[in-house]
């Protein structure tokens, strides 16, 4: 596979939560950009389809199973990636779950599950990978936030986690900038994925109905698709984005903040 001009030379990228949805689209886009990609999700077997898609297109990919909220698993996964692909210098913290509930009904377990995957997971992955980046004098950290960071009914846990990721992103940008490492966050709006389909089911409505309702409130008059997010991540991961750091990019079809 030829390396695209904007990456300079092949880099090693890790995308978490990459078995489906936004993560899969991002992994495939980074591979098309010329990166070797570690496709990481909770279960290695679920990553194989994305790996196969990448290799069929002429790219290089590795399926990796790890719980990003487990420090030992993260350390083992990054060591495996470094040994099999090379030192990772691009990290996309995309792994996430929802446990929606109104505040008065939300359990501590629902709160903790969301915090552990989104916040603790992003922290552990970033801490583990940053050494490879600072040693290389180049790094791109891209965290997946959400418009829910601005507040969303029934998502006190998710909104808090996604807002927390924005503060985390800005702090990492301050700490690692002098080593050639940037940190940015992409905050998607309504994206057509299995997660939003599950939301429709929970609300007792057809997915098409939910998408139509969502599109009516979006200035570009459509809902997003995973490739919309992948394009944004591709830019932030590129060589040319070296002067963009500590930013939150809302990819939501209109202004959000």
């Amino acid at each position: 596979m030829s390396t695209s001009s904007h990456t300079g030379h092949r880099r090693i990228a890790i995308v978490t939560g990459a078995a489906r949805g936004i993560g899969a689209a991002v992994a495939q886009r980074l591979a098309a950009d010329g990166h070797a990609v570690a496709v990481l999700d909770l279960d290695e077997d679920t990553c194989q389809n994305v790996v196969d898609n990448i290799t069929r297109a002429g790219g290089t990919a590795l399926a990796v199973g790890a719980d990003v909220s487990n420090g030992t698993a993260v350390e083992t996964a990054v060591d495996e990636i470094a040994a099999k692909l090379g030192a990772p210098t691009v990290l996309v913290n995309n792994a996430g779950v929802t446990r929606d509930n109104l505040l008065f009904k939300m359990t501590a377990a629902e709160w903790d599950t969301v915090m552990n995957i989104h916040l603790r997971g992003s922290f552990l992955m970033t801490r583990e990978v940053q050494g490879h980046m600072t040693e290389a004098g180049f790094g791109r950290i891209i965290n997946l936030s959400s418009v829910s960071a601005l507040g969303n009914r029934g998502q006190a846990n998710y909104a808090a986690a996604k807002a927390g990721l924005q503060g985390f992103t800005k702090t990492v940008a301050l700490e690692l900038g002098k080593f050639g490492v940037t940190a940015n966050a992409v905050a998607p709006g309504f994206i057509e994925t299995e997660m939003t389909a599950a939301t429709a089911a929970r609300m007792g409505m057809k997915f098409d109905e939910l998408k139509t309702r969502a599109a009516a409130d979006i200035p570009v008059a459509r809902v997003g698709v995973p490739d919309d997010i992948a394009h944004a991540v591709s830019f932030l991961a590129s060589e040319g984005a070296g002067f963009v750091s500590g930013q939150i990019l809302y990819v939501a079809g209109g202004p959000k903040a």
Side-chain angles (χ1 to χ4, degrees), residues 15 17 33 47 58 95 108 118-119 124-125 148 150 153-154 170 194 252:
V15 183
D33 287 344
C47 301
H118 293 272
L119 274 178
L124 290 173
M125 287 297 304
S148 292
L150 304 172
R153 180 180 171 84
K170 291 175 182 289
E194 288 179 22

Side-chain angles (χ1 to χ4, degrees), residues 68 74 91 93 116-129 143 165 168:
V68 295
V74 165
L91 171 64
N93 285 311
N116 283 340
I117 301 298
H118 293 272
L119 274 178
R120 179 181 167 89
S122 295
F123 157 67
L124 290 173
M125 287 297 304
T126 303
R127 187 182 65 175
E128 196 61 36
V129 171
N143 298 317
L165 274 173
F168 176 69

Side-chain angles (χ1 to χ4, degrees), residues 225-244:
V225 295
D227 280 346
D228 289 318
I229 307 306
H231 284 299
V233 172
S234 173
F235 164 67
L236 292 172
S238 72
E239 200 96 17
F243 204 53
V244 180

Side-chain angles (χ1 to χ4, degrees), residues 8-34:
H9 60 278
R10 189 179 90 157
R11 301 196 185 280
I12 315 304
I14 302 173
V15 183
T16 70
R20 62 188 64 80
I22 289 171
V26 168
Q28 288 165 171
R29 176 57 190 263
L30 291 180
D33 287 344

Side-chain angles (χ1 to χ4, degrees), residues 166-224:
Q166 296 190 10
F168 176 69
T169 299
K170 291 175 182 289
T171 301
V172 171
L174 292 171
E175 291 188 9
L176 299 184
K178 64 183 178 182
F179 301 105
V181 180
T182 66
N184 293 285
V186 174
F190 190 107
I191 307 296
E192 188 176 337
T193 64
E194 288 179 22
M195 189 179 282
T196 48
T199 299
R202 250 195 330 272
M203 294 170 69
M205 67 168 65
K206 293 179 179 176
F207 192 26
D208 283 345
E209 183 186 346
L210 180 62
K211 287 189 290 184
T212 300
R213 183 183 295 185
D217 293 327
I218 298 172
V220 300
R222 70 169 177 88
V223 299

Side-chain angles (χ1 to χ4, degrees), residues 125-156:
M125 287 297 304
T126 303
R127 187 182 65 175
E128 196 61 36
V129 171
Q130 58 82 30
H132 292 292
M133 296 178 173
T134 56
E135 189 175 330
F138 177 96
R140 297 287 185 263
I141 298 161
I142 299 129
N143 298 317
L144 267 291
S145 181
S146 168
V147 296
S148 292
L150 304 172
N152 197 29
R153 180 180 171 84
Q155 289 195 316

